[in-house]
Amino acid sequence: MLEIKNVSKSFKDFTVLKDVNLTFDRGVYGLLSPNGAGKTTLIKMIVTLLHPDSGEILWNGENIASLDGSYRELVGYLPQKFGYYRDDSPMQFLTYMAALNGVDSAVAKERCQKLLERVGLGDVTRKKMKKFSGGMIQRVGIANALMNDPQIVIFDEPTAGLDPMERVRFRHILAELGKTKIVILSTHIVSDIENIADQVVMIKDHEVYACDTIEAILKAHIADNLETAFMNIYGGEALEDAI
Amino acid sequence: MNHKNDIPYPTAEQKKRAVAQIVRQTKPPHVGAIRFLFNAYREIGVATVLRNSIGIFGLSAAVFAVGIALALTEYDPVFMEKRNVAPILAIFFFGSPLVLLLTDFLYRLREKPLGVYEMQGAYKYTARHLILLRMPLFSLGTAAVDLAAALAWCGLRGTEYLPQMIGLIASGVMLYSLLNVALFNRFGLTGCIVCAVLWVLLAVGFAELPSAQRYALMTGIPFAVHMLSGAAMAALLTLLVRIFYQRPMYFIRNA
């Protein structure tokens, strides 16, 4: 279980997050809010790229800061901007990343092959990534996030650049992962969350506004679908972003 | 009779405390710097550690080699007083870690725009771990460059100071890199910054000393320096040989 307790974060004078309290257990959680609400900051704190100014993040009761590498071994992360080496093939890149995550070399190559097949890149494992499209790079990133068989999988805008078929394939992967792992999906694409998330977390005014099932949110905001609920909650904020 | 209500089931809070206690007891203990190096080299392989960085190290070492060649050609202790050799010796001791710092700087300069540097922050072995794991290995490379410069110098000027040069070369880079690893292991990134600052302060402090004292320091304790540097080098080589002997394929992992 991943617990976020009274976590706050500010950058200079700007408060990004204030007293965030969340608990994640097995399942798919959608992180939905307009740009600049603090989703990526929250995610970066969970994956230890940032440290909270106050509060703590606990994994099975233990502060993740004290667990260090043994916690990061359990985390799979696909950032908003996925970094890669252009001259590497996906197989080369993934086996390198597997090594950095402490995955045994005896299983790494086989696991990389299976993951690449799972994301539909089984035929191009030896091709250099500089020749890949944006969607293909994103799929390498998804495979990378699953490399070390993580207990917590975090995707930040994972479906950007994916065509509808790839998006459906990705949703299947997420649904399967959600049965045994904690999956946190941060996205602006409401339909991605609507179809697979067990719970939705919404951040408003730097605090957690809602953390509930989609049905409960729709009922509370008298909406037929999540997009309408989103507009009802964020109103002008979301429209300004859209414009 | 219904005894169900008599059974004292733990509350959710009690269960959580019990789990936390078990996790605390099984939490991995803090490991020392040498054990950290050993575990890391064994787990990810020396080839993985050096991947994507040998070229950058080569560039840093070349820049340093040019710098040291220029410095050496400036001094000719045959025609000057002996104590003026101290700056040359000091360059080998204090200056060699500059190669490691330059390598670190160039590596981050290249990796950050790619986005890989940040992404690695979420891995078991982060980019910072990799930089530290490379330090002892690049120290050996730096020592080789320095040794070539020292031998060239001694070939031209005489071998009077060769033992001191070798000792100072080896001890300078090895001490810096092992100190860096130890401080990072204990204090994280703050430890690395402290190490760099301490080293610079030491160099500045040395430069402030009178020339006679500088000469005495650089040449007055050769045996201790040799022993220290020899021990550091031997420890690292033993570590690498041990890893190779136990798991030879890890040595060439991802090659």
Side-chain angles (χ1 to χ4, degrees):
Chain A
M1 187 190 292
L2 182 71
E3 293 171 87
I4 299 173
K5 285 190 167 179
N6 302 317
V7 157
S8 299
K9 183 72 183 173
S10 302
F11 292 106
K12 291 188 181 169
D13 294 329
F14 180 67
T15 302
V16 179
L17 291 168
K18 212 169 25 178
D19 274 333
V20 171
N21 284 282
L22 291 166
T23 302
F24 298 102
D25 210 335
R26 273 180 299 176
V28 181
Y29 297 82
L31 212 50
L32 186 67
S33 50
N35 288 330
K39 298 191 297 295
T40 299
T41 303
L42 179 61
I43 281 171
K44 283 187 174 179
M45 286 194 285
I46 294 172
V47 301
T48 72
L49 287 176
L50 289 174
H51 296 291
D53 292 336
S54 61
E56 50 183 2
I57 299 176
L58 308 174
W59 170 249
N60 288 340
E62 199 69 38
N63 195 317
I64 61 173
S66 64
L67 291 172
D68 201 30
S70 57
Y71 167 75
R72 287 196 298 272
E73 253 185 316
L74 306 170
V75 176
Y77 172 49
L78 172 62
Q80 208 165 357
K81 271 188 190 172
F82 172 63
Y84 62 99
Y85 298 115
R86 289 170 51 82
D87 288 323
D88 277 3
S89 67
M91 184 60 84
Q92 280 175 316
F93 180 75
L94 289 182
T95 46
Y96 176 54
M97 292 299 160
L100 295 182
N101 257 323
V103 177
D104 195 277
S105 63
V107 301
K109 278 211 161 81
E110 196 189 329
R111 193 181 289 182
C112 292
Q113 182 66 39
K114 283 194 176 142
L115 281 169
L116 287 170
E117 282 166 11
R118 200 170 174 195
V119 298
L121 293 174
D123 297 334
V124 291
T125 58
R126 309 275 169 194
K127 203 171 164 186
K128 285 195 198 289
M129 290 204 284
K130 61 185 173 191
K131 296 184 179 173
F132 280 14
S133 66
M136 291 168 84
I137 297 290
Q138 198 70 356
R139 283 187 274 161
V140 173
I142 292 166
N144 181 53
L146 304 176
M147 170 57 61
N148 54 331
D149 194 23
Q151 294 299 302
I152 306 166
V153 192
I154 300 171
F155 297 106
D156 197 351
E157 308 287 349
T159 56
L162 298 186
D163 64 37
M165 199 183 298
E166 288 159 359
R167 208 172 276 166
V168 168
R169 187 204 297 259
F170 177 66
R171 282 182 206 152
H172 284 309
I173 294 173
L174 279 193
E176 207 179 305
L177 289 172
K179 291 176 191 167
T180 54
K181 302 175 194 300
I182 297 170
V183 180
I184 300 172
L185 172 66
S186 169
T187 180
H188 293 111
I189 302 171
V190 178
S191 58
D192 281 343
I193 287 180
E194 210 158 21
N195 286 312
I196 44 170
D198 301 313
Q199 287 201 25
V200 176
V201 176
M202 295 178 119
I203 298 174
K204 189 179 178 186
D205 295 330
H206 316 297
E207 292 178 341
V208 173
Y209 176 82
C211 177
D212 215 331
T213 60
I214 294 171
E215 291 77 23
I217 290 175
L218 294 180
K219 199 174 172 184
H221 294 90
I222 314 166
D224 295 327
N225 57 63
L226 199 56
E227 198 162 304
T228 309
F230 183 92
M231 294 304 293
N232 288 346
I233 293 166
Y234 294 105
E237 271 179 74
L239 200 55
E240 271 170 36
D241 282 342
I243 293 166
Chain B
M1 269 169 90
N2 184 4
H3 294 285
K4 197 177 174 185
N5 293 334
D6 301 332
I7 300 170
Y9 286 104
T11 61
E13 193 55 46
Q14 283 171 328
K15 275 190 221 171
K16 224 195 298 188
R17 270 206 300 271
V19 166
Q21 195 178 354
I22 293 166
V23 168
R24 221 173 288 123
Q25 281 163 358
T26 55
K27 196 172 74 169
H30 177 78
V31 294
I34 299 297
R35 176 58 57 181
F36 161 72
L37 282 179
F38 179 77
N39 290 344
Y41 286 140
R42 192 178 58 167
E43 192 163 16
I44 69 177
V46 171
T48 302
V49 168
L50 293 176
R51 195 174 180 273
N52 293 329
S53 58
I54 289 192
I56 289 175
F57 168 71
L59 178 66
S60 308
V63 167
F64 181 73
V66 166
I68 207 169
L70 285 171
L72 289 178
T73 52
E74 282 292 308
Y75 282 85
D76 185 359
V78 173
F79 299 107
M80 298 165 85
E81 290 182 29
K82 274 190 179 178
R83 62 190 177 192
N84 289 324
V85 159
I88 296 293
L89 299 176
I91 284 171
F92 284 118
F93 184 77
F94 290 111
S96 299
L98 284 176
V99 179
L100 306 175
L101 285 172
L102 187 60
T103 305
D104 181 3
F105 173 73
L106 290 175
Y107 179 76
R108 289 209 272 168
L109 204 64
R110 187 192 69 177
E111 295 286 297
K112 273 197 166 172
L114 290 176
V116 185
Y117 191 86
E118 191 192 45
M119 209 168 70
Q120 282 178 359
Y123 290 179
K124 184 179 180 186
Y125 293 103
T126 64
R128 173 48 53 181
H129 284 116
L130 280 183
I131 288 166
L132 284 166
L133 287 169
R134 282 175 196 139
M135 269 198 184
L137 300 173
F138 286 161
S139 296
L140 290 173
T142 305
V145 169
D146 284 344
L147 192 60
L151 288 171
W153 159 266
C154 291
L156 291 170
R157 311 284 184 208
T159 58
E160 188 180 351
Y161 296 102
L162 185 58
Q164 285 94 337
M165 281 180 174
I166 292 172
L168 289 166
I169 286 164
S171 60
V173 283
M174 290 307 301
L175 276 174
Y176 182 83
S177 61
L178 290 176
L179 195 63
N180 221 325
V181 170
L183 287 173
F184 173 80
N185 201 42
R186 200 76 188 94
F187 303 112
L189 188 60
T190 311
C192 297
I193 297 167
V194 166
C195 187
V197 169
L198 272 176
W199 199 263
V200 167
L201 288 174
L202 215 60
V204 166
F206 175 83
E208 294 294 314
L209 292 172
S211 58
Q213 260 184 306
R214 286 203 301 253
Y215 178 77
L217 264 173
M218 284 290 113
T219 58
I221 45 170
F223 187 70
V225 168
H226 294 167
M227 290 303 289
L228 205 60
S229 61
M233 285 279 200
L236 178 64
L237 288 170
T238 307
L239 187 78
L240 292 173
V241 166
R242 194 175 157 199
I243 294 166
F244 182 76
Y245 176 72
Q246 284 186 353
R247 304 290 285 272
M249 288 315 291
Y250 275 77
F251 222 84
I252 54 173
R253 184 190 180 121
N254 284 331

